[in-house]
Amino acid sequence: MEKIYLSDAGPKVSPAIYGFWRWEKESANSLKDMDQIVHLCLELGINTFDHADRYGNYSCESLFGKVLANKSFKRSDVVLFSKCGVNIPDPSKPEIRVRHVDSSAQHITTSVENSLRNLQTDYLDVFLLDQLDPLSDLESTVLALEKLKNSGKVKNIGVSNFSVYQHQLLESFLSIPVVSNHIDLNLLNTSALDNGALDYVKQKYMRPLAVSPLAGGRIEHGTDELALKVRKKLVEMAEKYESNIESIAVAWIVKLGALPLIGTLEEKRIRNIVNSFSVKLDHQDWYELYHTTRPSPVVHD
């Protein structure tokens, strides 16, 4: 996969990105699993990996660091994202009593230092704030972010699960660019096309990262009315393009200029996402899928 720029100010990344946010749900917290997933991704041309301090019950970064320490690939060959903000109760974190968001300068700085140590690297290519704490002092938050970038420990700053207004608010304090925003986007959740999130990301010359491009498996296995309706249309499209429904569903996202953020541990599904880049979805076919997932449009004469 040919590498592309994440934004006009960000690094080059693979067009598909692998993230570890689903690992805790699938109990795949083993070094063997991590090694297999990482090398499968590299084999398929995916060199960009999205972490957070909390993923895998706070264990994924350490596992990835061990794989990196084996030196089967170079640190310079991969692009590493990590993030902090959302704190979830876990036996390994007795100090966390309730799920909450913390965007404080102290929490950000401590989290970055922990991520660097766990990943066994000297820098993060992109560090993201995962949600925005309404109680945070934005001035000190921004100073911490800028200090980390100036130190070289963080090369770029991004955000995850921010509304347009939160994105604008943070940027109004920052003197450095935001290079990435993770947004929920798939055929069963097109709200980013309505609430301005997708347009604002593009306005800032960034490529949106589409979280959950296959709707957590719902596109293929969902039994609700919308999933069944969309799947029926995807089957038609898959036959037309001699492909499969998951590749078509992700091709729909790719045509928007978005980068699919892969979360599955299933090899077949990872390969289906990668294969989506070979599907050249027709303009009207894109709209046919779009109309399938939405109420019928009102046409005014």
Side-chain angles (χ1 to χ4, degrees):
M1 303 177 83
E2 185 177 350
K3 306 306 181 286
I4 57 177
Y5 282 105
L6 184 61
S7 72
D8 62 346
K12 274 192 168 184
V13 299
S14 50
I17 295 169
Y18 188 86
F20 297 93
W21 78 96
R22 293 196 187 280
W23 279 48
E24 58 266 37
K25 294 181 181 178
E26 301 192 38
S27 301
N29 301 327
S30 77
L31 184 57
K32 179 182 177 182
D33 293 321
M34 178 65 72
D35 188 80
Q36 289 178 342
I37 287 289
V38 170
H39 284 91
L40 172 63
C41 287
L42 294 174
E43 171 196 328
L44 296 175
I46 300 170
N47 78 327
T48 307
F49 298 93
D50 179 64
H51 289 275
D53 55 359
R54 63 185 172 88
Y55 290 169
N57 304 105
Y58 298 91
S59 69
C60 278
E61 288 185 327
S62 294
L63 291 173
F64 189 97
K66 291 174 182 177
V67 173
L68 181 59
N70 287 335
K71 301 187 184 299
S72 57
F73 57 91
K74 297 178 182 177
R75 168 64 179 91
S76 58
D77 291 336
V78 296
V79 181
L80 298 184
F81 292 22
S82 194
K83 63 185 79 68
C84 80
V86 177
N87 295 278
I88 298 175
D90 187 84
S92 67
K93 300 287 181 180
E95 70 277 14
I96 300 176
R97 295 182 291 104
V98 63
R99 181 187 175 104
H100 66 281
V101 180
D102 188 347
S103 304
S104 67
Q106 180 179 354
H107 182 69
I108 290 169
T109 302
T110 300
S111 180
V112 168
E113 294 292 350
N114 288 338
S115 291
L116 293 175
R117 181 171 55 255
N118 291 333
L119 290 167
Q120 302 195 41
T121 183
D122 297 325
Y123 66 95
L124 296 173
D125 294 281
V126 182
F127 172 74
L128 307 99
L129 278 184
D130 189 6
Q131 300 187 29
L132 185 63
D133 177 14
L135 305 179
S136 64
D137 174 9
L138 269 181
E139 290 187 355
S140 62
T141 295
V142 164
L143 285 173
L145 293 172
E146 293 179 344
K147 184 177 179 180
L148 286 166
K149 187 176 188 303
N150 291 335
S151 71
K153 294 178 179 179
V154 168
K155 301 297 183 184
N156 300 278
I157 299 298
V159 297
S160 178
N161 298 307
F162 270 47
S163 69
V164 172
Y165 291 121
Q166 290 173 329
H167 194 157
Q168 292 173 328
L169 176 62
L170 183 68
E171 286 181 319
S172 71
F173 283 81
L174 277 169
S175 62
I176 54 179
V178 173
V179 304
S180 180
N181 188 2
H182 292 27
I183 60 175
D184 285 323
L185 177 62
N186 57 64
L187 269 171
L188 300 181
N189 180 3
T190 61
S191 59
L193 279 77
D194 301 320
N195 61 22
L198 185 69
D199 293 331
Y200 188 71
V201 169
K202 291 184 174 182
Q203 179 187 337
K204 306 305 290 187
Y205 301 102
M206 297 186 297
R207 289 183 177 270
L209 269 66
V211 179
S212 209
L214 296 175
R218 185 173 153 222
I219 282 176
E220 185 175 21
H221 301 298
T223 57
D224 59 283
E225 182 179 356
L226 180 59
L228 292 172
K229 181 182 177 184
V230 169
R231 189 182 310 129
K232 180 180 178 181
K233 181 58 64 176
L234 284 170
V235 169
E236 294 177 18
M237 293 287 183
E239 292 177 358
K240 176 178 179 178
Y241 288 92
E242 297 181 342
S243 185
N244 61 81
I245 64 171
E246 292 190 328
S247 294
I248 299 296
V250 177
W252 184 88
I253 294 169
V254 171
K255 197 169 181 67
L256 280 167
L259 310 182
L261 185 57
I262 305 169
T264 181
L265 281 85
E266 295 182 31
E267 179 176 344
K268 177 184 176 183
R269 189 159 288 160
I270 295 172
R271 291 186 182 275
N272 285 344
I273 292 174
V274 171
N275 290 339
S276 70
F277 290 92
S278 64
V279 177
K280 305 305 178 186
L281 202 61
D282 175 80
H283 191 88
Q284 292 187 57
D285 285 342
W286 186 93
Y287 271 97
E288 190 170 352
L289 283 165
Y290 185 45
H291 293 326
T292 301
T293 196
R294 299 167 61 83
S296 299
V298 177
V299 179
H300 299 282
D301 294 329

